[in-house]
Amino acid sequence: MQTVAPELAELAGLIADPGRASILSRLMDGRPQTASELALVAGVTPQTASWHLSRMVERALLKVERRGPRRFYRLATPLVAQMLEGMMTVAAIDPQPSRPPPRIDPEMRRARTCYDHLAGELGVAVTDAMRDRGHLNLDHEAGELTACGCAFLGDLGIDLRSPARSRRILCRPCLDWSERRPHLAGRAGAAVADLALQRDWIRRRPQGRSVEITDAGLLAFRNLFGARI
């Protein structure tokens, strides 16, 4: 019987290297980075970082974009981000309950991006509010926008019909590793995050995945979405 066990073992071994794991974790914020920037993150020389990056490009974990003389790296697909978020969730489970739980950075727990959608307390609160208002049906396995949910997002200026050629799932759950509950992912989740950035409801920090919720954003998430945040 044919299995994917060898490929799975190869992939796990590739991610297991601490330097490559650090690079993948940094790229979870969705922003492209240069090899030099990622070398600093991994704590390795530029030459070693280039070797790590080329291996991950070959394995389709990353893709590289040329902008003039510079190369920028990012996660290859949302599926890679989904895999990494799931691994982070499992990694955060302590096999020894008697030990104190691992410390989670308060800014990361409050609000962050998970590749291209909202996560942390903010992402879960927005998801819960949309579900409570009948805009969204979501559990740990699947999700769908309701008719009134599509209308709600349409009123906010989000048109989910335009990328009809996209093979990406419109709406799906993503298990939040800090909250241990699902938040909204897929094209709908990415569109909500894009809107929040465009309207200055959230602001990216210079480094990392955590985002700042602005005063205007706090009002918008509470008044427009009904989020308890």
Side-chain angles (χ1 to χ4, degrees):
M1 179 178 177
Q2 189 175 17
T3 71
V4 296
E7 291 81 3
L8 179 60
E10 177 200 358
L11 181 61
L14 188 64
I15 297 173
D17 179 89
R20 290 193 285 267
S22 296
I23 289 171
L24 291 167
S25 180
R26 169 55 63 88
L27 293 174
M28 279 289 287
D29 71 355
R31 287 178 286 189
Q33 304 265 318
T34 65
S36 297
E37 292 169 327
L38 294 170
L40 291 174
V41 169
V44 297
T45 65
Q47 293 79 7
T48 300
S50 294
W51 179 72
H52 285 318
L53 291 167
S54 65
R55 289 200 63 190
M56 289 189 284
V57 169
E58 289 172 2
R59 192 56 184 78
L61 291 176
L62 303 182
K63 64 181 179 181
V64 59
E65 303 169 356
R66 287 184 178 273
R67 300 180 187 175
R70 307 178 74 188
R71 293 183 176 186
F72 288 81
Y73 295 84
R74 65 192 314 157
L75 298 185
T77 67
L79 185 61
V80 175
Q82 181 182 352
M83 175 191 70
L84 294 173
E85 185 77 4
M87 293 178 71
M88 291 175 184
T89 302
V90 175
I93 299 173
D94 193 340
Q96 302 181 40
S98 59
R99 297 192 308 192
R103 182 182 178 275
I104 298 175
D105 180 85
E107 291 180 346
M108 282 282 284
R109 164 158 268 166
R110 175 68 169 167
R112 65 180 183 274
T113 54
C114 175
Y115 187 53
D116 60 0
H117 54 270
L118 299 176
E121 293 174 355
L122 174 62
V124 170
V126 168
T127 301
D128 286 348
M130 291 183 67
R131 187 161 45 191
D132 291 345
R133 290 187 170 188
H135 296 156
L136 179 66
N137 294 321
L138 195 75
D139 58 25
H140 286 276
E141 296 182 357
E144 66 172 354
L145 281 175
T146 64
C148 65
C150 290
F152 166 71
L153 294 180
D155 289 342
L156 292 176
I158 296 175
D159 182 6
L160 293 170
R161 298 169 302 174
S162 52
R165 299 183 305 275
S166 174
R167 298 174 61 185
R168 186 178 181 186
I169 294 174
L170 174 64
C171 174
R172 68 167 181 83
C174 181
L175 184 60
D176 195 290
W177 66 263
S178 63
E179 302 306 299
R180 306 292 178 85
R181 295 170 57 207
H183 56 242
L184 176 62
R187 285 195 287 121
V192 170
D194 284 344
L195 182 73
L197 286 165
Q198 292 167 10
R199 297 193 177 179
D200 198 37
W201 295 346
I202 59 172
R203 294 174 185 166
R204 293 189 184 276
R205 301 185 193 277
Q207 299 291 339
R209 286 203 280 154
S210 66
V211 295
E212 175 191 356
I213 307 174
T214 66
D215 291 340
L218 203 58
L219 289 174
F221 289 125
R222 287 174 175 172
N223 297 337
L224 294 178
F225 288 84
R228 294 184 288 274
I229 188 73

